[in-house]
Amino acid sequence: MTSGAARVVARLKKLNEASDAEGALTRLTLSPAHARAAGMVKRWMEAAGLAVRLDAVGNVVGRREAAMPDARTLIIGSHIDTVRNAGSFDGNLGVILGIEACAHVMDKPLPYAIEVVAFGDEEGVRFPTSLTGSRALAGTFDPASLSSVDEKGVSRRDALLAFGCDPSRAQDEARDPARTLGYIELHIEQGPVLEINKLALGLVTAINGGSRGEITIEGAAGHAGTLPMNMRKDALAAAAEIVLAIEQIGKSGAELVATVGRIEVPNGAVNVVPGRTRLSVDVRSPRDEERMRALADIRAAITRIATARGVKADLNITYDMPAAPCDKTLSTAFARSFERCDHPLFRLASGAGHDAMSFRERIPQAMVFVRCRGGVSHRPEEYAAPADIAAALAVLEDFLETIGANQ
Ligand code: HGY
Ligand code: MN
Ligand code: MN
């Protein structure tokens, strides 16, 4: 394994130390752990010859200029925020690979500039809105997202100010598409397809579209011992029926998925009939019309169940990202690098969302997937083998050394 690949593996381990949870990796956006990770990434970017800054929305941006003025910029990115009890590779791998590939070409004059970006808000776990870091660069940042609040009532605006950012300048982070060669992201597959096909790497064809939201159900709290069953407006029993209905709708399309990942019963207690519940919903598909149909079916199921049970329920969509096809020119350049690095070319869609989808229809984007063991992700067992990391680094280094010639 090259020293570069070994350094990537070592840095991923080191980055694990930046966590807000004892004995697990939890690094929510704009948290103390995110600040520590941003500090490590800044030092590594500087060692790779990049000029580094923290931008207006919490991204760490490392930049190197081109050999000639007025050249366009290639952006290499991924995210360093994580879910709770996360794995070490989701997002982090793409950032550390980008830094290492820049170190590899540090002394080589290139006909384009490079920016490596460690986005700070891809997972959308702390605030209901997400992808704010990549949307800022894509020029689609929504100022309303600054008013999103976390579970403690802290707004994104206040969290950014405390992080040392100036959110009033978020719109200034937009990159000019005419001055941008494209956006590329290397990421673990987070699924089992590469492993089943015994491949280290895959070329992404498109990123599935996704919608997320929150369902609130208002029933009537009551005494678990005295309230007769036929008089109840049990918000949790209604939620349970809605969860199963959403699962059924998710099964109605071959590549459609629908998930309720979180359910809350405020003031829940063993001897109280639940009066209120809140549940999350996440719906994805490679076809936007199928995702819209599924959302309509979910709304209809919510209305049917709520009416039958005499409770009030509504679905508020907080995130809606259309499917994002990957750019043909950048993907062809990656295909050439696969060939030069002796990797069979295997194309697959992404069921997971990524920062790359923020650039849809504005800046060309392409992604390369790295095999992950068992397809497991969003869990501590998430794992990418050093040999596969080395393969990804070799392809990225080849891509950087050749992309300018083909543009
Ligand atoms: O949820 C996703 O697809 C991504 O991991 N944030
Ligand atoms: Mn990710
Ligand atoms: Mn993730």
Side-chain angles (χ1 to χ4, degrees):
M1 183 161 67
T2 63
S3 57
R7 197 169 20 244
V8 171
V9 172
R11 284 176 172 173
L12 283 166
K13 272 203 188 82
K14 183 78 185 145
L15 208 46
N16 258 348
E17 293 169 15
S19 173
D20 287 325
E22 228 11 73
L25 174 56
T26 297
R27 184 186 308 138
L28 303 191
T29 189
L30 304 174
S31 67
H34 179 193
R36 283 201 302 280
M40 289 186 202
V41 161
K42 177 175 183 292
R43 284 191 295 280
W44 295 335
M45 284 180 172
E46 284 164 348
L50 302 174
V52 188
R53 68 185 179 93
L54 179 69
D55 78 4
V57 291
N59 302 318
V60 182
V61 181
R63 181 176 170 87
R64 65 163 266 175
E65 296 308 330
M68 67 282 276
D70 297 336
R72 292 187 293 170
T73 299
L74 176 71
I75 307 171
I76 310 171
S78 200
H79 59 96
I80 55 173
D81 64 312
T82 74
V83 294
R84 290 190 175 90
N85 197 29
S88 323
F89 301 85
D90 176 4
N92 302 306
L93 175 63
V95 172
I96 305 299
L97 280 170
I99 294 171
E100 192 55 43
C102 281
H104 177 77
V105 295
M106 185 153 67
D107 302 326
K108 291 190 174 88
L110 294 173
Y112 58 91
I114 296 179
E115 287 186 343
V116 179
V117 185
F119 294 116
D121 177 41
E122 191 274 344
E123 295 292 1
V125 172
R126 178 176 178 186
F127 297 101
T129 48
S130 83
L131 296 177
T132 52
S134 41
R135 282 176 166 176
L137 268 68
T140 59
F141 180 82
D142 177 2
S145 68
L146 292 173
S147 310
S148 295
V149 293
D150 66 11
E151 288 161 352
K152 297 193 184 102
V154 176
S155 71
R156 185 192 295 281
R157 175 181 294 101
D158 289 348
L160 281 167
L161 290 167
F163 204 71
C165 301
D166 175 4
S168 66
R169 305 185 59 88
Q171 263 95 352
D172 300 349
E173 298 299 345
R175 296 311 192 262
D176 176 357
R179 321 254 341 96
T180 308
L181 195 54
Y183 171 80
I184 59 172
E185 181 166 1
L186 284 79
H187 199 290
I188 52 167
E189 179 201 340
Q190 299 179 296
V193 174
L194 289 177
E195 186 175 64
I196 291 166
N197 287 280
K198 298 187 179 21
L199 292 164
L201 306 177
L203 195 50
V204 178
T205 54
I207 305 164
N208 286 358
S211 301
R212 291 184 191 175
E214 183 160 275
I215 302 169
T216 44
I217 302 172
E218 298 286 349
H223 191 299
T226 57
L227 188 55
M229 293 304 286
N230 64 356
M231 291 174 65
R232 294 186 176 194
K233 297 182 183 301
D234 185 329
L236 184 50
E241 199 171 340
I242 287 170
V243 169
L244 292 176
I246 290 172
E247 183 189 43
Q248 280 313 316
I249 291 162
K251 289 178 178 174
S252 66
E255 293 174 291
L256 177 68
V257 287
T259 313
V260 173
R262 198 189 58 236
I263 189 163
E264 289 160 78
V265 185
N267 310 315
V270 62
N271 56 354
V272 177
V273 176
R276 186 165 201 273
T277 48
R278 275 200 309 264
L279 38 161
S280 65
V281 64
D282 176 314
V283 181
R284 311 197 196 187
S285 168
R287 283 173 302 287
D288 293 336
E289 64 286 354
E290 180 176 56
R291 177 166 52 90
M292 291 302 132
R293 190 268 302 157
L295 282 172
D297 291 351
I298 288 171
R299 287 191 189 282
I302 291 171
T303 304
R304 174 175 49 78
I305 294 164
T307 310
R309 288 174 168 271
V311 300
K312 223 171 92 22
D314 79 306
L315 165 60
N316 172 35
I317 293 294
T318 54
Y319 165 97
D320 206 59
M321 283 299 273
C326 292
D327 175 70
K328 289 217 178 341
T329 307
L330 291 174
S331 298
T332 303
F334 265 123
R336 285 197 201 103
S337 295
F338 272 54
E339 199 180 340
R340 277 193 295 272
C341 297
D342 292 330
H343 280 288
L345 184 56
F346 182 87
R347 296 177 190 267
L348 71 167
S350 173
H354 300 285
D355 283 301
M357 63 205 298
S358 297
F359 295 94
R360 176 184 188 281
E361 292 184 351
R362 303 180 75 91
I363 288 174
Q365 54 86 5
M367 287 193 76
V368 169
F369 272 172
V370 182
R371 170 170 48 189
C372 61
R373 189 171 53 198
V376 158
S377 182
H378 283 189
R379 277 171 34 196
E381 296 80 7
E382 184 183 278
Y383 178 76
D388 294 350
I389 290 174
L393 181 61
V395 163
L396 180 56
E397 288 170 351
D398 179 273
F399 179 92
L400 295 189
E401 287 169 335
T402 54
I403 181 72
N406 303 315
Q407 291 304 309

